[in-house]
Amino acid sequence: MHSQLSLSSIGSLIDGTYANPADLLGPHPIDYRGETAIAVRSFLPAAAAAWVVSPDRRFRRSMRKIHPAGFFEGLIPPGDFGFDASGRLQSDASHRSSKSHDGSDRHASPERYRLGCCRGGDAAGPVSVYNIEFSDSTGKTIVMQDPYAVPSILTDFDRYLIGEGRHLQLYDRLGAQPRTIDDRSGVNFAVWAPNARAVQVVGDFNGWDGRRHAARVHAHLGIWELFVAGAKVGDKYKFRLLTEHGEWVDKSDPLAFAAELPPLTASIVTDLTAHRWRDDEWLERRASVDPQRLPMNVFEVHLGSWQKGPGRAHGWLDYRDLAHRLADYCHRMNFTHVELMPISEHPYSGSWGYQTVGYFAPTSRHGSPADFMYFVDHLHQQGIGVLVDWVPAHFPKDSHGLRRFDGSALYEHEDPRKGEHPDWGTLIFNYGRNEVRNFLIANALFWFDKYHIDGLRVDAVASMLYLDYSREHDQWVPNQYGGRENIEAMELLRDFNTAVHEQFPGAITVAEESTAWPGVSRPVKDGGLGFTLKWNMGWMNDTLRYMRHEPIHRQYHHNELTFSLIYAFTENFVLPLSHDEVVHGKGALIAQMPGDLWQKFANLRLLYCYMWTHPGKKLLFMGGELGMWNEWNHDDGPQWELLDFDTHRGIQNLVSDLNKLVVDNPALHAEDFSGVGFEWVDCLNATDSILSYIRKAPGAPPLLICCNFTPVVRHGYRVGVPQAGFWKELFNSDSTTYGGSNVGNYPGRETTGVPHHSRPDSIQIDLPPLGVNVFRLDS
């Protein structure tokens, strides 16, 4: 029998440039003496001889080598291998199935097992009822499943959702999916590369020779796919793409679940079903409560530098060790949540994770995906929430990553005025492209779904929302209405928040947004962006600027403290003292405080007390609780040795007790986002630099907070209160426990019957120097 293929087609296949290898390779019906036979073709560069064999080895047909490079063709006549004259299986094909790695069956009708219907990347196709056996030059015999005789992992509904850009579980279809076909295990590889001329899968399973595994294309989707029998969990792999410019490039999988330790860049086949979760109680409780009414004391952590240990590269601890250390420390410090700086895979450690390449892969610096699952699971079992930084604003230009992925501007904009970030030297996602939006939203949901995280803090939201962000007047392109707002980014963020809150009730989304964009944390149905919370960058900047003033000058800057309460309830705010405030020459927080050594510590205590009693959730970057002197460095981390000194242990004790104060008192957390929870007693005493205010919540006793921003002790200072009775001193920042001078009012003060500050009664107190007192009405 002569082959019906042209030599030019075979030549294009061999050099890797044939548009869709499935048109040539695999099973194809042909006319054979007036009946339908099956031509099976395979490209086996290392083979000396090859055969088509049935799984039970009852049938064995020789394949002819029709090209010296290793192109083989065999014929299955009618009646062999259980096929009739029409090329249809004679047995009941409905009992055959494709099984995903999670064990779910994907049954198909008998029509789907008709050999030859798998051409052109169609989803319909046969489960392989034959194998290919070949021998190499040494005589070694290898049996393999024909990758082109395996049905697509994509169902009709998958293809519809992908085409619409609304496949929220994209990570269950693309990438590397372990899969079993007729009891033969392998991996299904799929990647979006619509402008590639050819795509090959290369990896440990084929000696990194992509000619053996040229992917077939779903042309209308731009997705290239191939099942590789024998590929297994732990194998390293990449996609090798032929660009429209005729250049072969190797790319990491955009949806890879794991990656090699940088600077190596291969993706790793991973099973995400192995971990047995034990946090059901946590997740049920999370879905049943309103996180906005709960205490939220967040400890921001860079896992690579928080603590170090022997036995791993650069002293990086593994996720399991970190889980236990962090849980114990959060309990000691009364933090309710940890927020991890980006843990998705990134090539450059100096980016702190904010230049991500592997959006679906926890960094291998600290272990495997299963190790990170253990990390989250353990913290949940210890009652601690886990937030993760997420970076949909930009991505780096590393050649193995998303940049010009298939030779074209696929994930980014072609126009640098929209596609490049001038500050960071990175690329900006094309939010107007359905597939890119789908990639990002599916990525966000992935971390909630597969890793059970409790929230995402979205980095650099302002840079997404404004087309002219950090650009000169001639360096940006207006939107269709002539404005500076990035409408596509707005829609992405709204869709992201809607999907997260619908799919995972009780989950938290946090915006790092530094402008006055309205409604960032308001519901999408009300015209907002839909975030749960927004960082209050205005409060942070005003407060730190005020605290840097010498106390004698603070009376002239009093409004820098009080201004935040004008807008405090326009958004659901988090008060952040994050990593950004202790890097790039700003100095550590204590180093930014004025005065001598004693005053620096007192000012830092004062700053923390004002922050913890101000409306809003709290976030503190690691090392801030130690009063460390050095700026944060990602190679060094906190100065733990400072705890040898009483002054630094005092700061640590203060932060721990402030966290407990918030947790124990609903007045300090239940109404953080409503004027119901706050009222001024006196915000006008600029001369003495004193503030006094009430924090309250329905059904809870009110708290009176008095802050003295000067080093002058105020004896007998009268403060108005809303009710008569005994006001117990709950907290005094000047306690010797915290390194203070012990000026205070223990155990509290009885009201005097004298109206003051437009209140029916008052108490007289001693205000400590650079200190804060917290009183609670003792019922």
Side-chain angles (χ1 to χ4, degrees), residues 213-245:
H213 291 118
R216 65 192 184 197
V217 63
H218 301 266
H220 63 295
L221 298 176
I223 290 175
W224 299 77
E225 179 190 15
L226 193 68
F227 175 77
V228 178
K232 61 187 182 302
V233 170
D235 282 349
K236 302 178 185 67
Y237 71 97
K238 283 188 176 183
F239 291 110
R240 182 166 293 162
L241 295 86
L242 180 62
T243 72
E244 57 188 350
H245 308 295

Side-chain angles (χ1 to χ4, degrees), residues 299 306 608 621-628 638-639:
F299 187 47
W306 178 61
Y608 287 165
F621 181 56
M622 65 181 197
E625 82 283 9
L626 309 178
M628 60 184 285
Q639 296 174 274

Side-chain angles (χ1 to χ4, degrees), residues 62-92:
S62 176
M63 301 180 74
R64 291 189 308 119
K65 192 173 191 178
I66 62 177
H67 193 286
F71 191 95
F72 288 82
E73 183 176 49
L75 181 70
I76 303 178
D80 278 12
F81 293 73
F83 293 99
D84 61 23
S86 67
R88 189 189 303 272
L89 268 175
Q90 295 172 342
S91 60
D92 181 7

Side-chain angles (χ1 to χ4, degrees), residues 24-102:
L24 303 184
L25 299 176
H28 295 268
I30 63 170
D31 179 71
Y32 178 69
R33 298 175 182 174
E35 295 183 304
T36 301
I38 304 299
V40 176
R41 306 179 188 118
S42 188
F43 181 44
L44 305 167
W51 300 265
V52 181
V53 298
S54 62
D56 60 7
R57 305 189 69 80
R58 289 173 52 207
F59 298 96
R60 178 183 174 94
R61 289 283 180 175
S62 176
M63 301 180 74
R64 291 189 308 119
K65 192 173 191 178
I66 62 177
H67 193 286
F71 191 95
F72 288 82
E73 183 176 49
L75 181 70
I76 303 178
D80 278 12
F81 293 73
F83 293 99
D84 61 23
S86 67
R88 189 189 303 272
L89 268 175
Q90 295 172 342
S91 60
D92 181 7
S94 64
H95 293 296
R96 311 183 68 83
S97 69
S98 162
K99 187 169 288 189
S100 66
H101 204 63
D102 61 8

Side-chain angles (χ1 to χ4, degrees), residues 384-416:
I384 299 163
V386 180
L387 311 180
V388 174
D389 278 10
W390 184 51
V391 192
H394 61 114
F395 60 91
K397 296 179 179 179
D398 296 74
S399 60
H400 66 283
L402 299 179
R403 178 189 181 222
R404 303 197 76 85
F405 186 79
D406 62 0
S408 68
L410 190 62
Y411 288 88
E412 68 271 34
H413 286 277
E414 185 72 59
D415 188 339

Side-chain angles (χ1 to χ4, degrees), residues 331-405:
H331 285 158
R332 154 79 175 84
M333 296 299 298
N334 295 301
F335 284 108
T336 62
H337 295 73
V338 296
E339 180 180 309
L340 307 181
M341 293 169 69
I343 51 87
S344 48
E345 195 58 84
H346 49 282
Y348 176 46
S349 296
S351 75
W352 315 333
Y354 291 100
Q355 295 192 12
T356 290
V357 167
Y359 274 80
F360 291 80
T363 178
S364 56
R365 291 167 175 83
H366 306 289
S368 68
D371 294 333
F372 185 61
M373 290 177 181
Y374 180 93
F375 175 94
V376 177
D377 201 356
H378 181 73
L379 264 66
H380 282 175
Q381 293 176 58
Q382 297 299 309
I384 299 163
V386 180
L387 311 180
V388 174
D389 278 10
W390 184 51
V391 192
H394 61 114
F395 60 91
K397 296 179 179 179
D398 296 74
S399 60
H400 66 283
L402 299 179
R403 178 189 181 222
R404 303 197 76 85
F405 186 79

